[in-house]
Amino acid sequence: MADYVLAIDQGTTSSRAIIFNHSGQIVESGQLEHEQIFPKAGWVEHDALEIWKNVREVVALALTRANLTHRDIAAVGITNQRETAVVWDKNTGEPVYNAIVWQDTRTQKIVEELGGDEGAEKYKAKVGLPLATYFSGPKVKWILDNVEGARAKAEAGDLLFGNTDTWVLWNMTGGKDGGVHITDVTNASRTMLMDLSTLDWDAEIAADMGIPTSMLPEIRSSSEVYGKGREGGMVPGVPISGILGDQQAATFGQACFEVGMAKNTYGTGNFMLINTGTEQIPSENGLLTTVCYKIGDQPAVYALEGSIAVTGSLVQWLRDNLGIISSAPEVEDLAKSVDDNGGAYFVPAFSGLFAPYWRADARGALVGLTRYVNKGHIARAVLEATAFQTREVLDAMNADSGVDLTELKVDGGMIANETLMQFQADILGVPVVRPQVAETTALGAAYAAGIAVGFWSGEQDVIDNWAEDKRWEPSMDSGDRERLYRNWKKAVTKTFDWVDGDTEA
């Protein structure tokens, strides 16, 4: 019997392969960053071929480091950056254009035209999402409208579309030689093209966007065998049996299986999900209604999600664009060199504001500056921005769900930053809880894949494997908490209405 499950985590900044044992512990891993391509202001792209090359390499790295072969792997799960759209030629396997990343804002005019008189809410009752540049559908339309020959090829049935889960799966199962063209319900729910009630593509919306339905992958559950690794690949014959979009995967890995359980992932952006059970809850407060997971033939479980575009990537920006720090962990030491933010607030609306505002016209702002403010204060403002944005999403979640969260489970790269975690607990006024295995995104995909092949028996195994590592209790005076938060809300308003015809030109 194979003793391990392999998860491929195809993320925004890197691709990782992680091998887990039966108790959900990490055995070994491999990771490679890929290039972030910025052709114009607001445009963000990835080279899909580089991503596929890196995926193969990180799987080989993880297996080699663990001294294992494909025979030791019971199943492979895939988790991925959602909403990042790849369009490729099914006959050649070549993308017709770079992958357009979820952070990209070039589709703003398309989104406005699609909304027409009905505006951003036009499709929300069906798909759970407002019309926004964030989602995949408008990105596909942009490619078909702007890449020479793409529309003709699409209408001839020669082009395929998928988020990066579909791209990786198609290549892993043979590519142009018999690769399977499949996505799962969680990824499909982020395209603006899937009806949340039927879990099927909506032909009318696809027609509105000018997307031939022949391009769209088949929608399956998050946990079933989709195909097997190709001959000549790293995992030949191994079942590929789990797909979850990254935030849903983290929710699954955090064992948030009961209604009202929530987690927050601190990555490139921040994403908070609360399980709403088999009921879809339409948001009145700027959140998204999305599919949380679907295990095989069981009913789909839904979630409310608050998506924040820029959190960890703000620390990267401080490192790469300003050179204030030379490595991401340094931001904590710099922030600890001061007692507070010195009155400075940093609103990182680099690609507009996501939840709960959905303002594509916003741009980043550093406000409250005086001569007193130094780079320590700016580092602190960078960290605090993540915590303040999380508080805004939590408030929206409490309002929509009618349930006040009593604690927040956290995961992702930034949770190693203890200064941030303490400030997060302080500004929320609830405990923040970190699990022992922080790689919950990859772990969730591994669990989905393992459950499909009987490696784990079901959700109870996930619950039994989950263990707390550390808990931060709020210690801030409530008056201080509300004063800081009030100033943050004021800072956010300073970012609105920045973009107009002139600024874009």
Side-chain angles (χ1 to χ4, degrees):
M1 176 67 185
D3 291 327
Y4 307 97
V5 171
L6 172 72
I8 293 166
D9 180 357
Q10 201 301 291
T12 307
T13 56
S14 70
S15 300
R16 286 183 296 182
I18 303 183
I19 297 167
F20 293 96
N21 63 18
H22 199 271
S23 57
Q25 299 295 312
I26 293 173
V27 175
E28 214 22 285
S29 65
Q31 178 170 4
L32 283 171
E33 290 196 2
H34 52 262
E35 186 187 358
Q36 306 295 312
I37 303 163
F38 306 108
K40 295 184 184 182
W43 292 31
V44 191
E45 298 175 1
H46 294 155
D47 176 348
L49 290 173
E50 181 192 9
I51 284 174
W52 169 229
K53 175 182 152 296
N54 286 1
V55 165
R56 299 201 303 274
E57 204 170 320
V58 295
V59 169
L61 273 173
L63 287 169
T64 305
R65 287 170 176 169
N67 198 24
L68 300 172
T69 73
H70 65 275
R71 291 184 185 83
D72 299 298
I73 306 298
V76 177
I78 298 171
T79 181
N80 61 296
Q81 48 167 330
R82 307 164 306 169
E83 305 96 14
T84 293
V86 188
V87 174
W88 70 97
D89 186 315
K90 70 179 186 187
N91 305 309
T92 65
E94 295 281 324
V96 299
Y97 190 79
N98 278 339
I100 301 183
V101 180
W102 57 272
Q103 300 150 309
D104 188 287
T105 58
R106 78 185 68 186
T107 54
Q108 183 56 34
K109 283 196 171 61
I110 289 173
V111 160
E112 286 164 8
E113 284 163 13
L114 284 166
D117 297 337
E118 295 167 79
E121 304 287 298
K122 183 173 181 180
Y123 304 124
K124 197 170 179 194
K126 266 190 188 175
V127 302
L129 314 171
L131 264 164
T133 59
Y134 181 22
F135 307 108
S136 324
K139 296 175 169 59
V140 179
K141 175 172 166 54
W142 187 93
I143 289 172
L144 297 183
D145 288 349
N146 290 277
V147 176
E148 195 176 338
R151 184 165 292 286
K153 273 189 172 179
E155 285 166 1
D158 290 329
L159 296 190
L160 301 178
F161 149 71
N163 291 344
T164 60
D165 64 307
T166 302
W167 168 245
V168 169
L169 177 69
W170 186 79
N171 280 296
M172 284 190 76
T173 52
K176 62 183 193 230
D177 302 315
V180 299
H181 188 221
I182 285 171
T183 191
D184 89 303
V185 286
T186 66
N187 273 287
S189 76
R190 314 300 291 202
T191 58
M192 296 210 77
L193 298 166
M194 187 188 83
D195 184 312
L196 275 182
S197 301
T198 65
L199 305 181
D200 254 325
W201 300 119
D202 187 289
E204 281 180 31
I205 299 176
D208 282 359
M209 295 194 193
I211 299 170
T213 52
S214 61
M215 294 179 69
L216 304 178
E218 184 185 346
I219 301 173
R220 297 275 195 90
S221 80
S222 312
S223 178
E224 62 177 272
V225 177
Y226 314 112
K228 294 190 171 175
R230 67 198 166 97
E231 290 306 316
M234 291 295 150
V235 283
V238 179
I240 302 171
S241 52
I243 299 176
L244 286 159
D246 52 9
Q247 304 314 322
Q248 286 93 337
T251 310
F252 203 84
Q254 286 271 38
C256 294
F257 298 129
E258 288 178 34
V259 174
M261 292 180 89
K263 70 88 208 176
N264 196 26
T265 297
Y266 295 72
T268 303
N270 262 39
F271 302 87
M272 193 189 298
L273 272 78
I274 185 168
N275 183 326
T276 65
T278 52
E279 181 189 2
Q280 299 170 39
I281 297 185
S283 175
E284 304 293 323
N285 295 282
L287 302 180
L288 310 175
T289 306
T290 196
V291 181
C292 194
Y293 57 88
K294 183 181 187 318
I295 302 302
D297 296 332
Q298 295 174 30
V301 171
Y302 295 91
L304 281 168
E305 175 176 331
S307 312
I308 303 165
V310 177
T311 56
S313 56
L314 181 57
V315 177
Q316 275 184 323
W317 181 85
L318 205 63
R319 179 192 71 192
D320 299 343
N321 292 42
L322 298 192
I324 287 178
I325 51 174
S326 58
S327 70
E330 284 176 32
V331 73
E332 182 169 17
D333 292 335
L334 193 53
K336 280 162 67 176
S337 69
V338 292
D339 293 331
D340 54 38
N341 64 17
Y345 292 80
F346 201 145
V347 187
F350 292 162
S351 50
L353 288 168
F354 284 10
Y357 298 101
W358 300 103
R359 294 289 296 250
D361 61 3
R363 286 297 177 267
L366 181 54
V367 300
L369 298 182
T370 59
R371 282 291 300 273
Y372 171 68
V373 171
N374 62 34
K375 62 185 181 181
H377 297 116
I378 289 173
R380 194 167 188 97
V382 161
L383 293 183
E384 290 183 355
T386 294
F388 285 130
Q389 290 180 99
T390 298
R391 163 77 187 267
E392 291 189 293
V393 166
L394 187 84
D395 288 353
M397 227 162 238
N398 288 343
D400 270 342
S401 67
V403 183
D404 283 357
L405 280 186
T406 54
E407 64 176 33
L408 185 63
K409 287 181 170 181
V410 298
D411 53 70
M414 292 179 88
I415 65 167
N417 189 316
E418 307 226 344
T419 305
L420 170 60
M421 290 297 100
Q422 183 58 54
F423 186 77
Q424 186 68 87
D426 288 341
I427 213 70
L428 294 180
V430 299
V432 167
V433 184
R434 180 171 74 193
Q436 279 181 9
V437 178
E439 296 293 351
T440 55
T441 302
L443 183 56
Y447 280 138
I451 287 169
V453 299
F455 185 83
W456 287 291
S457 59
E459 290 96 320
Q460 191 57 47
D461 282 351
V462 183
I463 295 164
D464 293 344
N465 282 347
W466 190 92
E468 182 176 315
D469 172 50
K470 184 159 182 182
R471 175 179 290 259
W472 288 268
E473 298 284 348
S475 60
M476 186 181 280
D477 172 79
S478 63
D480 290 340
R481 176 187 303 133
E482 293 317 309
R483 176 180 56 80
L484 287 167
Y485 189 47
R486 188 179 69 246
N487 284 342
W488 164 262
K489 298 282 257 190
K490 191 176 4 173
V492 171
T493 64
K494 306 301 180 195
T495 70
F496 296 164
D497 298 315
W498 182 260
V499 174
D500 55 35
D502 286 350
T503 44
E504 283 301 88

